[in-house]
Structures are given as structure tokens and as C-alpha cells.
Amino acid sequence: MQERAVRTREVILRAAAEVFDEFGFSGASISKIMKRAGVTQGGMYFHFPSKEALARAVMVEQSDGLRLPPGEDGLERLVDITLYLAEELQSNPTLRAGVRLAAEQGEFGVQDDSAYRLWAEQFGGQLRAAREKGELLPEVNAEELAWVLVSAYTGTQLFSQISTGRADLHQRVVSLWRYLLPGVAAPTVRQRVDAAVRQKRAAV
């Protein structure tokens, strides 16, 4: 029973993510989500008492199931992670819905920055590793830069979503790094990472 309940919750969350991704919070409804998930009203409310609870779960669990690129922690892996997320945002409804709901959360009475903090900590881990390896300029604060990067990335993907449905997001993230790297990376590291970024850009 417990395993079945876990599976049912996963099915509901997946369906909810798809519906929230397509319609946003205001356009989504419990009936649409139930139909998409193929569950009864009782099954739905056993796991989630309201649409608001569903939205919060999708928002908070947006990164579940992601498989971040492997490699040695540091600046180049951080760039790889941001490019990977750009690809996922084009095809992963759970991530897309979580990102959308984080921006729309005022509509369901929530003020929760945990999703942003999660990514700031993820990026911060790579930046701390980069600092230990001497990849960052001496004046760079890894925690502050992680916050700046999450903020800039959020704006970049939102602008791309509005402009092209995120079709150009990969290129926009490449452009973000092209201007950001000179201000944060040690010169020799910047050349190496910049070359790697150009190579990945050409492969897309």
C-alpha cells in the first residue's frame, strides 16, 4: 500500500506539473489535474488537500529527478550545469512548472524562496570548489556570486520564455557567461572555460 501511495503521488505530481506548465496556476484546475493523472477525487485529496498544496509541492520539488552533468566540481562544471538546465527547461515539464510557479506564487498566497535558495546552494557549491582551485578572481565572494547568478539566470530564462518559448535559451545562457566570466574567473581559467563554452555552443 505504501509503495502504491508513493507511485500515485508521483503520478499526480507529474500530471500537475504538466497542467501548471501549460495553463499556469490560475488556468489550472483540480479537475484537469485529476483527468490528466487518471485518479479519483479521493485519491487526489488523500495526497493534496488543495490546488495550492499541489502547486507548492511542484514548486519545491522542481529539481527532483534531474541528473546534473558529471565532472570535477568547479567553474566549468557550473557552466555545464547551467547549460544542462537550459536544455531541461525546454523539455522537462516538472522543472518548467516549478520555475513558473515560483514566479507566480503570489497568486496562491505563498512567499517561499526555497527553490531559489536550492539553486543558489547548488551553484555556490561549484563556486566554492572553484575558489579552492584558484579559478576565481581573489575579490569574488562565492556565496554572493551564487545569488547573482541565480538572479541573472532566472531573468534570462524568463525573458527567453516570453520571447521564444525558451527556444533560444541555450544561446542566451552562453551569452550570459560570455559577459560574466571576465568579471569572476582567473584569466587562464577564463580562456579554458570560454573555449569549452564555445565548443558546446557549436555542438548545439
Side-chain angles (χ1 to χ4, degrees):
M1 286 293 292
Q2 188 174 12
E3 290 181 5
R4 187 168 64 181
V6 169
R7 287 196 301 271
T8 300
R9 184 181 187 276
E10 290 174 351
V11 168
I12 293 171
L13 271 181
R14 174 77 180 188
E18 292 173 357
V19 173
F20 285 130
D21 178 40
E22 292 176 29
F23 300 101
F25 179 81
S26 60
S29 67
I30 289 290
S31 60
K32 287 178 182 176
I33 295 168
M34 285 170 50
K35 184 177 181 179
R36 186 75 59 95
V39 299
T40 64
Q41 190 174 46
M44 171 69 73
Y45 288 113
F46 175 80
H47 293 280
F48 301 100
S50 65
K51 185 173 79 166
E52 290 77 10
L54 252 177
R56 183 164 193 153
V58 171
M59 182 179 72
V60 171
E61 298 176 35
Q62 63 179 261
S63 64
D64 288 3
L66 293 179
R67 296 185 178 182
L68 299 183
E72 184 180 350
D73 288 346
L75 201 52
E76 186 170 348
R77 185 168 184 235
L78 175 58
V79 172
D80 287 344
I81 289 171
T82 62
L83 293 173
Y84 164 78
L85 292 175
E87 295 170 3
E88 286 293 301
L89 280 164
Q90 293 174 326
S91 60
N92 184 327
T94 300
L95 180 60
R96 283 201 309 258
V99 167
R100 178 170 184 168
L101 290 168
E104 296 179 356
Q105 60 181 281
E107 294 184 24
F108 49 102
V110 173
Q111 188 173 351
D112 185 351
D113 66 353
S114 58
Y116 297 106
R117 288 185 179 276
L118 181 151
W119 289 115
E121 180 56 33
Q122 184 68 241
F123 293 171
Q126 297 303 315
L127 288 167
R128 287 188 291 273
R131 182 177 57 198
E132 291 173 4
K133 293 161 63 178
E135 294 182 338
L136 299 180
L137 294 173
E139 64 270 23
V140 173
N141 180 292
E143 282 67 34
E144 185 177 35
L145 177 55
W147 183 89
V148 169
L149 181 56
V150 170
S151 302
Y153 197 97
T154 299
T156 297
Q157 69 84 20
L158 179 59
F159 193 1
S160 176
Q161 164 64 15
I162 294 170
S163 300
T164 67
R166 297 196 183 98
D168 66 348
L169 182 55
H170 190 280
Q171 175 55 46
R172 291 191 186 220
V173 174
V174 168
S175 297
L176 176 65
W177 280 112
R178 185 158 63 92
Y179 288 98
L180 189 59
L181 281 173
V184 303
T188 55
V189 177
R190 184 171 72 237
Q191 293 172 8
R192 172 172 56 80
V193 175
D194 190 51
V197 170
R198 287 198 304 271
Q199 184 178 12
K200 293 178 177 67
R201 174 185 174 185
V204 173

